Amino acid sequence: MAFRRAVQLACGIAGTAAVVVAAASASQRQRGDSGLKAATVSWSPGTGGWDHNWDKREPISLIKPNQKNKEVPEDHIAQLENYKVKATRHIFLIRHSQYELSATTDKDRVLTALGREQAELTGQRLASLGLNYDILIHSSMTRAKETATIIRKYLPGLEMMSCDLLREGAPIEPVPPISHWKPEAMQYHEDGARIEAAFRRYIHRADLKQQNDSYEVIVCHANVIRYFVCRALQFPPEGWLRMCLNNGSITWLTIRPNGRVALRTLGDTGFMPPDKLTR
C-alpha cells in the first residue's frame, strides 16, 4: 500500500510540476536565454561503472552523517538493515494503441478500430501472465486513457489513475539527430523537465514500507518509455530515439531491492498477429 500512496501523491502534484516548469520557462524567456536544453541527466562516459545510488535510495545515503567529520557514526552503520528495501518492483510500460493521426486536437485523437483491437490483445496478454497487478496508471492524453480503459477490462478491480507527467513530449535532443523531427529548444526544455520528473516519480526501487513485490502497469507514450529505459539502465539518454516501439507493446522493467535494474522485455508485441502491428 505504501507505493500506492506514493503514486497518488505523484498524480496529485503533477499539475504543480507543470506550473513550475512553465514558470521557469517564462522566466528564462524574459531574460532572453537561448540554446535551452532539457533539464535531464546526461551520459558521462568518464564516470564508469554502475551508480548504485541512482535513485538516491541506497541505505547508506539515508543515514545522516556526523556534521563535524561528515562520516556515518558506527552506531548508525549497525542500523543499515532497517534501511534496506525488501520488495521488488515490476513495472509494465505500455505504449498506447493506434490512434487517429489526422486529428488536430488531443480530444479528437481517439483510437482507431485497429487501435482498439490492439488494446484488447494487450489486455489479454497482461491477464495471461497471471500476476496480481497493483495499479494501472495512464497518461492524461486521450489515446493513453482509452488504451488503459480497454486493458482494464481484462484486469477487473484494478485501480486506475491518470497523471499529466506521463504525457508525450520531447525528452532530450536525440543523438544522432534526425531530419524529419526537429522540436524547438524550448520544447525540449519544458518537456524534458516534466518527463525527467515522471522518471524520478515512477522509476525507483520500492519504498521501505513495502513488504511484497508489486506489479504496476503504466500506459503512456513511445518517447516517454524509451527515455525511461535509457535512464533506468544508465545508458546515454540521448540514444532514446534509436529504439522503436509498436503500438500496444509491453516493456517490462524490474527493479530489485539492491537497486539493480533489468529489462525483461522491450516493446514486446509477439502476442499480436502480424496484420495487427503498427508503429
Side-chain angles (χ1 to χ4, degrees):
M1 294 299 293
F3 83 90
R4 184 173 298 181
R5 288 194 295 271
V7 167
Q8 292 172 333
L9 176 61
C11 292
I13 68 169
T16 301
V19 170
V20 171
V21 171
S25 300
S27 175
Q28 288 181 313
R29 283 194 293 269
Q30 291 172 355
R31 295 198 308 266
D33 290 359
S34 60
L36 296 174
K37 293 184 179 180
T40 54
V41 179
S42 184
W43 176 252
S44 300
T47 59
W50 173 265
D51 178 8
H52 292 276
N53 198 28
W54 61 275
D55 60 351
K56 310 308 176 191
R57 294 176 183 235
E58 192 71 10
I60 194 67
S61 70
L62 300 178
I63 299 179
K64 295 182 178 179
N66 184 297
Q67 294 301 312
K68 292 182 178 180
N69 55 24
K70 302 301 180 182
E71 294 180 356
V72 178
E74 292 184 5
D75 59 327
H76 282 199
I77 293 178
Q79 300 176 22
L80 277 177
E81 289 297 321
N82 297 329
Y83 291 89
K84 289 185 176 180
V85 173
K86 303 175 180 62
T88 294
R89 294 183 66 212
H90 297 273
I91 303 171
F92 296 83
L93 300 167
I94 313 299
R95 187 190 177 195
H96 60 78
S97 301
Q98 185 190 63
Y99 66 100
E100 295 291 349
L101 289 169
S102 60
T104 57
T105 63
D106 177 64
K107 68 176 183 178
D108 294 324
R109 289 173 179 162
V110 297
L111 298 185
T112 63
L114 174 56
R116 291 191 290 273
E117 288 185 64
Q118 291 169 340
E120 298 275 354
L121 293 168
T122 302
Q124 292 170 18
R125 172 58 177 167
L126 289 172
S128 73
L129 297 177
L131 301 173
N132 293 320
Y133 299 101
D134 295 276
I135 196 166
L136 193 164
I137 308 163
H138 62 82
S139 155
S140 56
M141 299 186 84
T142 300
R143 53 190 182 271
K145 180 179 180 180
E146 290 189 347
T147 300
T149 300
I150 293 173
I151 287 175
R152 189 171 180 265
K153 293 195 309 181
Y154 297 92
L155 308 174
L158 186 62
E159 180 181 2
M160 189 166 74
M161 299 176 62
S162 176
C163 183
D164 287 338
L165 292 177
L166 295 166
R167 294 173 72 87
E168 184 64 302
I172 189 172
E173 190 169 355
V175 177
I178 56 175
S179 59
H180 62 275
W181 187 70
K182 288 183 176 295
E184 296 294 328
M186 185 60 70
Q187 184 177 350
Y188 283 122
H189 181 70
E190 294 181 352
D191 291 351
R194 172 177 53 77
I195 295 172
E196 173 65 18
F199 172 81
R200 297 187 186 194
R201 177 58 59 183
Y202 294 114
I203 311 299
H204 55 75
R205 72 191 83 182
D207 187 83
L208 289 173
K209 297 179 181 179
Q210 185 176 328
Q211 298 295 316
N212 301 314
D213 294 353
S214 59
Y215 300 86
E216 305 157 57
V217 180
I218 300 178
V219 180
C220 52
H221 310 270
N223 295 358
V224 176
I225 295 171
R226 291 181 287 187
Y227 179 78
F228 279 10
V229 169
C230 287
R231 287 282 283 112
L233 298 180
Q234 299 188 25
F235 290 164
E238 296 87 350
W240 64 271
L241 201 50
R242 303 172 200 172
M243 295 177 277
C244 292
L245 300 176
N246 288 335
N247 294 114
S249 61
I250 299 174
T251 295
W252 182 352
L253 283 173
T254 295
I255 306 176
R256 300 294 181 188
N258 61 6
R260 293 188 180 181
V261 181
L263 179 63
R264 303 183 68 157
T265 63
L266 175 66
D268 177 29
T269 47
F271 51 88
M272 292 188 187
D275 63 338
K276 304 298 182 184
L277 299 178
T278 62
R279 283 202 300 272

